[in-house]
Amino acid sequence: MERTQELFEKIELYLSKELPAQEVIAFEKEISMDSELELEVEKHRELQRVLSDTDTLLFKEKLHKISTEIKQESSEESTISYSLFWKIAASIVIVFGVGTLLWNTLNTSGDFSDLYAAYYEIYPVEDVIRGSTQVEKDVIMKSYAEGDYQKVVAILSDNTSFPLTEQFRLYLGNSYLNLGKEQEALEQFQQIGDDSKYSENAKWYQALTYLKLKDAEKSSALLKDIVDFDGVYKEKAQELLAKLED
């Protein structure tokens, strides 16, 4: 995708619902097929949100006024006047201020989908102790291994035939994650205590869930706990933490 002024203007028209109806369908299809374009649209949407804030609106008003004056003076004079020079400089400062605000906003509530995708691996299936409900447990594990997360959730979220162990909470939490139900996933991971042998696993998946929810602060806090624990996830936690704090 080539980032051009023409593309930016088209995105702005699209977000402000000023793009001709016949172009909207084609543009939305283009967005669905181009992840870079989709990300660019989201950045512009975030910019619009930032610019809707009261304080930032003052910047926009000043910028618009300066822009109008620049155009008027440019049409009246063959050369750029001294006052016009400073107005241009002022407009650059204003744009830079808005840009900085946008950058900080995007970094604070940014899109961590790439990081999430890079570090997320589904919790692996483990052996389960044999028992009277083994047949049903086999069905759960088989469904989980095959990626049938709807079935896993259907069985585990409404099951009274055997206790929902911490191991199965990890299965259920990961199933929720893969179905886009992050809050439900968190509820499962958070019920695994610090004294459990699955504690580190639970914190790792909690950290990734918060990352998916764009909450870098909570994700970082959990990653630091994992690093201090010095277990199997320590190296990955250090890498991810460094990227979040960069």
Side-chain angles (χ1 to χ4, degrees), residues 164-173 188-189 191-192:
L164 188 56
T165 64
E166 293 172 337
Q167 180 184 357
F168 276 92
R169 287 194 185 282
L170 285 171
Y171 293 162
L172 183 54
Q188 296 303 318
F189 300 141
Q191 292 191 56
I192 300 175

Side-chain angles (χ1 to χ4, degrees), residues 29 38 66-67 69 117 133 145 150 158 160 162 168 182 187 199 206 239 244:
K29 183 177 181 181
E38 182 181 12
I66 291 170
S67 176
E69 292 178 1
T133 57
Q150 290 281 11
D158 186 26
T160 58
F162 59 87
F168 276 92
E182 290 80 16
E187 289 176 11
S199 173
Q206 280 186 69
E239 289 177 4
L244 287 176

Side-chain angles (χ1 to χ4, degrees), residues 43 53 59 61 88 99 141 152 154 202 212 216 222 229 245:
K43 287 179 180 178
D53 292 343
F59 275 123
E61 290 173 4
I88 292 173
M141 291 190 294
V152 175
K212 196 175 181 184
L222 285 161
F229 182 75
E245 295 179 343

Side-chain angles (χ1 to χ4, degrees), residues 1-227:
M1 180 198 73
E2 185 178 0
R3 302 172 79 249
T4 64
Q5 183 62 32
E6 182 181 358
L7 174 62
F8 293 163
E9 290 175 358
K10 189 172 185 178
I11 291 174
E12 293 301 318
L13 288 172
Y14 170 71
L15 292 175
S16 60
K17 301 187 184 302
E18 296 177 19
L19 195 65
Q22 64 271 23
E23 294 184 35
V24 171
I25 296 176
F27 190 53
E28 288 181 341
K29 183 177 181 181
E30 188 179 349
I31 293 171
S32 68
M33 298 174 64
D34 189 334
S35 58
E36 289 187 6
L37 177 58
E38 182 181 12
L39 180 58
E40 194 65 43
V41 171
E42 287 305 313
K43 287 179 180 178
H44 281 255
R45 182 176 281 113
E46 184 65 22
L47 175 59
Q48 284 193 352
R49 187 191 69 76
V50 172
L51 293 180
S52 68
D53 292 343
T54 303
D55 291 341
T56 312
L57 282 173
L58 297 176
F59 275 123
K60 290 176 67 179
E61 290 173 4
K62 290 177 183 178
L63 182 59
H64 178 71
K65 182 179 179 181
I66 291 170
S67 176
T68 302
E69 292 178 1
I70 289 174
K71 289 178 181 177
Q72 289 175 347
E73 291 190 31
S74 295
S75 61
E76 294 171 359
E77 302 177 15
S78 58
T79 58
I80 298 179
S81 67
Y82 183 76
S83 63
L84 180 58
F85 170 82
W86 284 109
K87 286 172 184 175
I88 292 173
S91 68
I92 292 172
V93 170
I94 292 173
V95 171
F96 181 78
V98 173
T100 302
L101 179 59
L102 172 62
W103 174 255
N104 290 335
T105 301
L106 289 176
N107 272 341
T108 302
S109 58
D111 183 1
F112 301 113
S113 56
D114 289 344
L115 275 180
Y116 173 82
Y119 282 88
Y120 177 78
E121 290 181 5
I122 192 159
Y123 183 75
V125 175
E126 298 179 357
D127 290 334
V128 180
I129 298 174
R130 296 277 167 182
S132 59
T133 57
Q134 183 60 36
V135 173
E136 192 168 25
K137 289 179 179 179
D138 285 345
V139 171
I140 294 170
M141 291 190 294
K142 184 174 184 295
S143 300
Y144 181 76
E146 293 176 349
D148 190 352
Y149 304 118
Q150 290 281 11
K151 190 168 185 178
V152 175
V153 168
I155 298 174
L156 289 179
S157 62
D158 186 26
N159 195 309
T160 58
S161 61
F162 59 87
L164 188 56
T165 64
E166 293 172 337
Q167 180 184 357
F168 276 92
R169 287 194 185 282
L170 285 171
Y171 293 162
L172 183 54
N174 274 268
S175 295
Y176 277 130
L177 260 184
N178 282 277
L179 292 173
K181 297 182 178 181
E182 290 80 16
Q183 293 299 334
E184 290 88 341
L186 279 175
E187 289 176 11
Q188 296 303 318
F189 300 141
Q190 288 169 347
Q191 292 191 56
I192 300 175
D194 290 341
D195 57 344
S196 168
K197 70 175 183 178
Y198 294 105
S199 173
E200 186 186 14
N201 303 91
K203 286 187 176 181
W204 173 249
Y205 285 107
Q206 280 186 69
L208 291 178
T209 304
Y210 280 122
L211 193 63
K212 196 175 181 184
L213 290 169
K214 304 178 183 180
D215 193 333
E217 184 177 351
K218 288 183 179 178
S219 182
S220 295
L222 285 161
L223 291 171
K224 288 175 183 177
D225 286 346
I226 294 170
V227 172

